[in-house]
Amino acid sequence: MYFSKAFIPTLKEAPSDLDNISAKLMVRSGMVRKLGSGLFELLPLGLKTLGNVISVIREEMAAIDGQEVKLPLLLPKELWIETGRWNVYGKELFRIKDRKNAEFALAPTHEEAITDLARSFIKSYKQLPVMLYQFGIKFRDEIRPRFGVMRAREFLMKDAYSFHTDDKDLEQYYKKVYAAYENICKRCGFKYRVVEAASGAIGGNFSHEFMVLADTGEEEIAWCHCGYGANSEKAECLEDIYEKSTEQVLDMEEISTPNVGTIEDVSKFLNSSAQKFIKTIIYVADGTPVAVLVRGDYDINEIKLQSVLGCNELELASPEIVQEVTGAKVGFAGPVNLKKKIKIYADYSVVNIVNGVIGANKTDTHIKNVNYGKDYKADTVTDLRKVVHGDICPRCKKEKLQFSRGIEIGHIFKLGTKYSKSMKATYLDANGKENLMVMGCYGIGVTRILAATIEQSYDENGIIWPVALAAYKVAIIPVDFENENIKKVSEDIYKKLREKKIDVLLDDRDERAGIKFKDADLIGIPYRITVGEKNLQNGNVEFKDRKNDKSKTEIIKVENIVDYVVSQIKL
Ligand code: ATP
Ligand code: MG
């Protein structure tokens, strides 16, 4: 492609509403344009780069016998009613009506659609296993669209779904997908970590996330040198790490605490530490209030709580419900003398507290010297809190957990029979018995991969694309395209590289060399050949690898440059 003909609208400055480096660089380099909140147009350069990501993924899916399909983006409500997700997916689901008032979802994910497809054709164990996948647009009405294409409202996902006769077969296939995803990460040049994850709205009981490491990442991951890794929203806390104080167990005592609401205030008032505090929070789980206890210096992990409760909707109780359940204003709840009998869920961290402090279920009142077992009991004691710095690794139980930030680019799930059960997707086994198909599902944020790559690979001049993903592998920069000799050599190199099927951009514009260098660097083209008069006098051109610093260039004979570039690209 000649630059003068290319639609690459580069910008000197990024528009001010872009909030991270990759979004800024994608817009400045003319890859994308922002149309509205969470909506991006992919311009030729962006689409060409995306095409390279798609090729990598497609090859890896083919290697594990994935077969590509394309499903509609408009999905009938009825399918979503079957799985119950029409009502539980919440506000992220775009819902629309047709002219006859029939309702549809704009696909945020395709489990319903694919399960419907599978159940209509797969009847026998002989047709299993099978994996179907697509590159499909997804719509999600994200609360906070941000970071450019990273968290958009319309984005491209590769979503794959596999169907199996049993758990064992799924387990084997899951490992293959895991390996394929690792290959994709490696081929995209990522520094990454695979971590255990919570399953969220997709469901199932087992999942892994593929996290690209970047300080700007939205996710926090907890990991250990022993190999353990988990999304910090999933990372486990051990049961037996809380020492029990040997102080004498005292009897409960009510104390008046007017105008001291927060744990900090009460701790100060009573001259005790937050670790003595048994924080009690009232939640409403699918309409039913529950009390949840955690030590004062920790926080409740709502994702763990939701999975322990097994509920679809979990929210903090309103002040009215708190009043109804505890008999007090918000801030004075405790596990002793609750007005209403509700289930109590305690985190491991509270049971060893000796002479603890709780709200008295009475406004402006607390109780001190509260002890688990003697004064109150929980219906369930389990792991309900967020991990914190200093926590011990739950696997090796030796080292402290490390924390890093990451960008989730892929998420794989063992779904089991969650969807086949509700949608009655069955097959006949060798004995003619009807069984539910066992499923897995596997997503990759294809457009997010572009942004994640940039977050890991840029400098003050722009993007540094890994060769595998770069839209153009080579930029040819004639210092003066009007100069006959420079023009001839440049076009000759261009032709020869094209014959070798290498994507190359020849900057034929009537611009200063400095401007051409700037644009090539901004776009992130991996290799640059500069054709200038001085070097040509000795039969040479200048070669530069974008990854290296500015001053590191090589002088190569004109007749060798094509082979040299080819050898670099193959590296
Ligand atoms: P997140 O926690 O980031 O919201 P998710 O768990 O909702 O992601 P999945 O449903 O597992 O995401 O979707 C599969 C992949 O799609 C994710 O790993 C991510 O790479 C990508 N993805 C999800 N939401 C978006 C979005 N709003 N914009 C761009 N890519 C997205
Ligand atoms: Mg999400």
Side-chain angles (χ1 to χ4, degrees):
M1 175 65 80
Y2 278 36
F3 208 137
S4 64
K5 298 202 184 83
F7 186 77
I8 306 179
T10 55
L11 300 175
K12 272 214 181 73
E13 300 283 331
S16 60
D17 58 341
L18 298 171
D19 49 6
N20 74 349
I21 191 76
S22 54
K24 286 181 184 152
L25 287 175
M26 285 178 84
V27 170
R28 279 192 57 211
S29 65
M31 291 178 74
V32 298
R33 191 184 75 111
K34 185 170 169 179
L35 176 66
S37 169
L39 299 174
F40 287 85
E41 293 154 352
L42 277 162
L43 308 186
L45 189 64
L47 197 58
K48 201 163 158 52
T49 318
L50 192 76
N52 292 335
V53 178
I54 290 175
S55 300
V56 166
I57 298 174
R58 201 171 258 145
E59 281 172 25
E60 294 300 332
M61 292 299 102
I64 53 171
D65 292 330
Q67 300 172 70
E68 196 168 343
V69 293
K70 195 88 149 181
L71 304 175
L73 308 184
L74 211 51
L75 301 174
K77 173 185 177 182
E78 291 67 38
L79 285 181
W80 287 71
I81 293 283
E82 274 192 63
T83 59
R85 285 209 294 183
W86 183 261
N87 296 321
V88 302
Y89 212 94
K91 294 194 173 135
E92 228 177 70
L93 187 65
F94 280 105
R95 297 156 210 258
I96 55 171
K97 285 184 184 166
D98 70 7
R99 63 178 79 200
K100 292 184 198 130
N101 250 349
E103 289 185 275
F104 295 84
L106 279 180
T109 175
H110 276 90
E111 284 78 15
E112 281 78 1
I114 202 84
T115 308
D116 185 53
L117 175 65
R119 72 179 168 185
S120 66
F121 289 117
I122 300 172
K123 303 291 173 199
S124 156
Y125 71 98
K126 290 183 190 147
Q127 294 165 279
L128 295 171
V130 65
M131 190 274 252
L132 301 174
Y133 78 97
Q134 63 169 344
F135 290 95
I137 296 291
K138 300 285 180 275
F139 296 91
R140 294 185 182 180
D141 196 0
E142 298 279 354
I143 287 193
R144 237 179 318 145
R146 54 185 180 157
F147 302 153
V149 298
M150 198 103 89
R151 186 164 296 286
R153 295 197 293 172
E154 184 183 326
F155 60 94
L156 187 69
M157 194 198 285
K158 185 283 298 172
D159 44 328
Y161 307 86
S162 67
F163 297 86
H164 307 267
T165 49
D166 52 31
D167 286 334
K168 201 171 138 221
D169 198 51
L170 167 63
E171 175 68 38
Q172 279 169 4
Y173 193 71
Y174 188 88
K175 284 191 188 136
K176 285 191 191 172
V177 183
Y178 188 115
Y181 271 47
E182 287 216 272
N183 289 343
I184 292 166
C185 286
K186 286 178 196 147
R187 292 178 63 181
C188 290
F190 286 139
K191 286 186 216 80
Y192 70 98
R193 239 172 224 286
V194 192
V195 300
E196 294 174 15
S199 298
I202 307 283
N205 50 15
F206 197 85
S207 77
H208 284 97
E209 285 169 343
F210 290 72
M211 296 284 195
V212 168
L213 301 176
D215 292 340
T216 50
E218 282 187 287
E219 308 283 337
E220 186 183 49
I221 57 185
W223 57 275
C224 176
H225 294 107
C226 76
Y228 177 75
N231 189 315
S232 66
E233 62 184 27
K234 157 90 197 242
E236 297 154 39
C237 301
L238 290 167
E239 178 178 5
D240 50 3
I241 50 169
Y242 308 100
E243 277 178 31
K244 194 161 186 157
S245 139
T246 50
E247 69 188 272
Q248 196 193 345
V249 172
L250 303 171
D251 284 334
M252 287 199 290
E253 189 182 320
E254 208 173 274
I255 31 178
S256 169
T257 51
N259 305 322
V260 272
T262 66
I263 289 183
E264 229 185 343
D265 291 345
V266 183
S267 308
K268 250 192 215 150
F269 184 80
L270 295 176
N271 199 18
S272 70
S273 76
Q275 291 172 347
K276 280 269 183 195
F277 222 90
I278 300 161
K279 194 158 46 173
T280 304
I281 314 264
I282 311 295
Y283 280 93
V284 178
D286 288 341
T288 309
V290 295
V292 186
L293 318 183
V294 68
R295 203 171 79 182
D297 54 334
Y298 292 128
D299 286 313
I300 292 167
N301 178 329
E302 294 184 356
I303 289 167
K304 288 182 182 175
L305 177 61
Q306 186 159 10
S307 104
V308 167
L309 294 169
C311 62
N312 288 323
E313 262 181 74
L314 180 73
E315 50 185 8
L316 281 175
S318 63
E320 294 74 35
I321 294 183
V322 170
Q323 180 82 42
E324 202 182 301
V325 168
T326 67
K329 277 199 329 205
V330 174
F332 300 94
V336 177
N337 292 337
L338 277 159
K339 193 169 163 202
K340 257 196 164 170
K341 191 159 169 39
I342 57 171
K343 286 237 157 84
I344 298 177
Y345 292 83
D347 179 61
Y348 289 137
S349 59
V350 303
V351 290
N352 278 355
I353 298 177
V354 177
N355 299 330
V357 179
I358 60 171
N361 298 315
K362 217 193 263 180
T363 301
D364 292 341
T365 315
H366 281 82
I367 304 176
K368 62 178 189 178
N369 304 333
V370 179
N371 291 284
Y372 188 82
K374 175 171 169 279
D375 304 315
Y376 75 99
K377 269 201 157 155
D379 297 278
T380 302
V381 179
T382 186
D383 171 18
L384 292 173
R385 73 167 171 90
K386 289 184 181 162
V387 280
V388 293
H389 289 246
D391 271 335
I392 301 291
C393 167
R395 283 289 171 284
C396 68
K397 303 187 178 176
K398 284 189 205 122
E399 284 193 45
K400 279 189 184 154
L401 282 174
Q402 309 280 321
F403 290 85
S404 307
R405 298 211 71 85
I407 300 164
E408 176 199 325
I409 55 107
H411 198 169
I412 62 176
F413 301 75
K414 283 187 204 163
L415 292 172
T417 55
K418 178 178 156 91
Y419 293 90
S420 51
K421 197 169 173 189
S422 55
M423 296 186 70
K424 300 188 187 58
T426 60
Y427 69 95
L428 295 179
D429 67 17
N431 303 318
K433 191 172 155 281
E434 196 175 21
N435 289 294
L436 292 173
M437 292 182 221
V438 177
M439 290 173 61
C441 82
Y442 320 95
I444 288 190
V446 188
T447 29
R448 190 180 278 185
I449 279 187
L450 295 180
T453 306
I454 296 170
E455 290 294 327
Q456 273 197 345
S457 183
Y458 69 93
D459 64 13
E460 69 279 9
N461 299 319
I463 305 169
I464 306 174
W465 284 110
V467 179
L469 302 191
Y472 294 101
K473 318 294 181 203
V474 186
I476 301 173
I477 300 197
V479 171
D480 175 8
F481 204 58
E482 300 283 292
N483 176 313
E484 276 307 314
N485 196 20
I486 292 180
K487 181 173 178 193
K488 193 183 152 294
V489 171
S490 302
E491 290 189 317
D492 193 45
I493 297 170
Y494 177 78
K495 264 193 223 123
K496 287 187 176 140
L497 285 172
R498 299 252 304 188
E499 278 162 19
K500 304 252 180 212
K501 304 267 178 277
I502 291 169
D503 277 310
V504 43
L505 191 66
L506 192 159
D507 199 340
D508 59 329
R509 295 176 301 170
D510 183 17
E511 295 281 5
R512 281 187 297 112
I515 292 198
K516 297 182 184 183
F517 291 153
K518 272 211 165 99
D519 273 344
D521 280 356
L522 175 63
I523 293 170
I525 301 178
Y527 302 111
R528 185 175 91 194
I529 300 167
T530 307
V531 188
E533 191 145 37
K534 223 160 133 206
N535 278 321
L536 271 190
Q537 279 168 4
N538 302 318
N540 293 327
V541 290
E542 192 187 272
F543 175 84
K544 183 175 177 309
D545 185 331
R546 172 78 179 84
K547 289 197 298 289
N548 297 336
D549 72 49
K550 264 190 204 147
S551 53
K552 204 176 159 206
T553 56
E554 293 165 71
I555 301 298
I556 312 274
K557 285 269 163 247
V558 172
E559 61 269 28
N560 295 338
I561 188 69
V562 172
D563 287 344
Y564 189 70
V565 169
V566 170
S567 72
Q568 293 294 308
I569 289 175
K570 291 253 164 67
L571 281 179

